[in-house]
Amino acid sequence: MSARDTDWDGVRLHVVTGKGGTGKTTVAAALALALAAGGRKVLLVEVEGRQGIAQLFDCPPLPYEERRVAVAPDGGDVYALAIDTEEALLEYLEMFYSLKRAGKAMTKLGVVDFVTTIAPGLRDVILTGKTSESVRRRDKDGSFRYDAVVMDAPPTGRITKFLNVNEEVSGLAKVGPVRNHADTVMKVVRSPETAVHFVTLLEEMPVQETMDGIRDLTEVGLPVGGVLINMAHPPMLEADELAAAAAGALDTDEIVRGVKAAGLEHDTEAIAAALAAEASEHARRTAAQGREKERLESIDRPRYTLPLLSDGMDLAGLYDLAEALRAQGAA
């Protein structure tokens, strides 16, 4: 693999998507921490209005402004922005039409909701446009404001439509500010500085959605990054033990002896039977994970594995996941 394949060198916009329930927001936050490590400045953007970033970093709900939410390992800062569609639309109207005051009146009349309902493509242009502006923004000395931007994007089933804004606005505008804005967004999204990463579990449905999403992005020429396997369960038994458990051939007498050796003298046979059943289920789950892992290996994209955190997800867990990504060369 090239440097780009392994650690995404040169990528400044990391779009993170995944099927619901795969931990997409958590992985996006961990990636932002990993990318900021060593003194860099990274912006983490949320576009779905769920305030998931605030919950992860244990801070109050984010306003519509960029705020520092964490210090990365070895220095570096993670800033966060929860994009509010209404506020972003007002910015858009002010920037391209000098209509901010009129936009506020439209908001009171509910026209903003009406516009984004009848023209959902415009909503996506606004959300992706705000993110791409953050990628392009420079300070007075000419340097980029952020070393990287991480977008916690919509789920896999909607990601191609969400990012392919030129197609979405084709029926709205052929020329003018909307079209020009969409073209500017697409220059960022289609550039080598962008990568769309897929978060999955080693389960059939998330893996299938990942494969379908990669195919869809590739068909429209959007850049695919890595596959991030989240909440991986490591095998707790040796290969021969897994095979025996899967076949229901574990030595229950040996399990009983082990239970007694652990100091349990009552109901040892019932405990042994429960342990054997648990081992059988573990073997089944491990085999299923192995099959899904083989399917993912057919995809010619780098893969990164994040462990299941036994203590649950908290701020310390985010730093653990960020370190796992760094150890695998993802940042």
Side-chain angles (χ1 to χ4, degrees), residues 122-168:
L122 178 59
R123 177 182 182 276
D124 291 349
V125 170
I126 291 168
L127 294 174
T128 53
K130 181 65 177 177
T131 304
S132 63
E133 182 276 327
S134 301
V135 175
R136 302 191 314 273
R137 193 187 315 158
R138 295 179 182 270
D139 288 327
K140 291 181 179 179
D141 63 1
S143 63
F144 285 113
R145 173 70 58 85
Y146 295 105
D147 295 291
V149 176
V150 178
M151 178 198 285
D152 177 21
T156 311
R158 207 171 83 78
I159 191 63
T160 301
K161 187 175 182 181
F162 176 76
L163 292 175
N164 198 23
V165 293
N166 257 357
E167 183 68 24
E168 289 303 298

Side-chain angles (χ1 to χ4, degrees), residues 142-317:
S143 63
F144 285 113
R145 173 70 58 85
Y146 295 105
D147 295 291
V149 176
V150 178
M151 178 198 285
D152 177 21
T156 311
R158 207 171 83 78
I159 191 63
T160 301
K161 187 175 182 181
F162 176 76
L163 292 175
N164 198 23
V165 293
N166 257 357
E167 183 68 24
E168 289 303 298
V169 302
S170 62
L172 297 176
K174 302 298 183 184
V175 295
V178 173
R179 165 54 62 186
N180 294 338
H181 188 51
D183 289 343
T184 300
V185 170
M186 289 309 299
K187 285 180 182 178
V188 174
V189 172
R190 290 188 183 277
S191 78
E193 293 187 332
T194 295
V196 183
H197 310 302
F198 287 79
V199 180
T200 186
L201 306 180
L202 288 176
E203 297 175 3
E204 182 178 0
M205 288 303 295
V207 168
Q208 188 59 54
E209 284 207 15
T210 295
M211 298 177 77
D212 292 344
I214 290 174
R215 179 203 63 214
D216 293 344
L217 282 183
T218 302
E219 286 178 352
V220 298
L222 294 176
V224 177
V227 175
L228 299 122
I229 302 168
N230 195 25
M231 294 186 275
H233 300 252
M236 298 168 59
L237 300 173
E238 298 296 332
D240 57 338
E241 294 172 325
L242 285 171
L250 286 174
D251 187 341
T252 54
D253 290 337
E254 184 179 348
I255 298 175
V256 168
R257 289 192 294 271
V259 170
K260 290 180 177 179
L264 300 174
E265 297 294 338
H266 300 288
D267 299 324
T268 53
E269 291 188 0
I271 293 172
L275 288 173
E278 180 64 27
S280 178
E281 172 60 23
H282 175 67
R284 184 201 62 77
R285 186 169 60 243
T286 300
Q289 283 195 158
R291 289 192 296 272
E292 298 309 320
K293 187 176 180 180
E294 286 182 3
R295 293 176 68 200
L296 288 175
E297 287 172 353
S298 69
I299 302 172
D300 186 23
R301 298 309 310 152
R303 293 175 298 281
Y304 305 89
T305 301
L306 297 173
L308 174 69
L309 299 178
S310 57
D311 294 332
M313 177 49 60
D314 55 15
L315 190 55

Side-chain angles (χ1 to χ4, degrees), residues 59-89:
C59 63
L62 295 170
Y64 183 53
E65 62 182 47
E66 294 159 18
R67 288 193 174 183
R68 190 173 72 169
V69 293
V71 176
D74 303 322
D77 296 310
V78 174
Y79 286 74
L81 172 67
I83 299 181
D84 179 273
T85 305
E86 185 175 289
E87 290 291 336
L89 179 57

